[in-house]
């Protein structure tokens, strides 16, 4: 009896798992877009919370996202202030850091979240914000186009359009801080946003068609196996059919 009960439970557990996988294969894109929307939305919520006085949840967001992004104030977008972006020169002049060393400027700009005059920074830098917004917009566009059989971007095009511009812009900026004698270079917010958006959008174009292909195959296999969504149920030779919810 215990053996039969255990077998029955295993069958039902397996069926429940298969139903979840089937549901996931149908709704993965909506879930991915929702996750990215919430993920990037929280970074935008941080300055909103600061503005209305909810400093505790705002600081919690800045803290949680800090390992994911440098959050340098002169490379971030500000809300509710005099202007949406501040250059390195603006920041150094504003806080009297013109003659400070780079580590001191870095540490100060990383910790500064804003004030009533300058506004409050989004918890992602300009480039990271653009990357995730590119992922979100790309995901929404793909939701419209995927039924038209949109094919994956060739990898060489992904490197050329998505990776290379960001690598050149961010890489030369980074190297200029490490190598003595290398021409000092600080990128501009327009390039950070453009290269980040191209990278995020390109990831969608590269990866999502492959994910969809795998999810469609999973969906069709399970639908045929269990007779879901109008499919004729197919049982492999010698296979014991699984019980469904009607049992």
């Amino acid at each position: 009896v215990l053996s039969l009960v255990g077998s029955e439970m295993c069958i039902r557990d397996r069926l429940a798992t298969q139903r979840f996988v089937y549901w996931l294969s149908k709704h993965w894109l909506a879930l991915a877009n929702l996750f990215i929307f919430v993920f990037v939305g929280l970074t935008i919520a941080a300055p909103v919370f600061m503005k209305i006085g909810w400093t505790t949840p705002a600081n919690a967001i800045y803290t949680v996202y800090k390992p994911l992004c440098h959050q340098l104030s002169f490379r971030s977008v500000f809300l509710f202030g005099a202007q949406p972006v501040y250059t390195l020169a603006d920041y150094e002049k504003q806080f009297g850091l013109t003659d400070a060393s780079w580590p001191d400027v870095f540490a100060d700009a990383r910790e500064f979240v804003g004030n009533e005059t300058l506004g409050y920074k989004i918890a992602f830098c300009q480039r990271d914000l653009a990357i995730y917004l590119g992922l979100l917009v790309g995901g929404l566009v793909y939701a419209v186009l995927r039924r038209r059989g949109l094919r994956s971007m060739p990898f060489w095009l992904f490197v050329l359009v998505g990776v290379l511009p960001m690598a050149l812009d961010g890489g030369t900026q980074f190297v200029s801080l490490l190598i003595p004698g290398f021409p000092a270079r600080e990128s501009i917010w327009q390039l950070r946003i453009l290269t980040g958006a191209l990278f995020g959008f390109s990831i969608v174009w590269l990866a999502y068609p492959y994910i969809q292909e795998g999810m469609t195959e999973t969906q069709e296999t399970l639908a045929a196996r269990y007779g879901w969504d109008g499919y004729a149920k197919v049982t492999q030779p010698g296979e014991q059919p699984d019980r469904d919810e009607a049992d």
Side-chain angles (χ1 to χ4, degrees), residues 14 18 221-222 224-226 233-243:
R14 184 173 68 175
Q18 300 284 45
T221 299
L222 291 175
R225 179 183 179 87
Y226 295 103
K233 187 172 182 178
V234 177
T235 303
Q236 298 297 325
E239 179 184 20
Q240 294 296 323
D242 291 313
R243 298 174 181 268

Side-chain angles (χ1 to χ4, degrees), residues 21 24-33 36 135 139 142 146 150-153 202-220:
V21 172
L24 184 62
S25 69
K26 296 178 68 174
H27 302 289
W28 73 269
L29 182 57
L31 293 173
N33 286 336
I36 296 171
L135 284 171
Y142 183 71
R146 64 173 171 172
L150 182 67
R151 300 181 64 181
S152 177
M153 169 188 282
S202 296
I203 288 178
V204 172
W205 192 359
L206 174 73
Y208 280 27
Y210 285 121
I211 298 174
Q212 181 61 52
E213 183 179 342
M215 291 296 183
T216 298
E217 182 178 348
T218 298
Q219 182 180 336
E220 292 176 349

Side-chain angles (χ1 to χ4, degrees), residues 31-44 132 136 140:
L31 293 173
N33 286 336
L34 178 61
F35 173 80
I36 296 171
F37 174 79
V38 173
F39 186 69
V40 73
L42 286 173
T43 69
I44 300 173
Y132 287 102
L136 179 59
L140 295 175

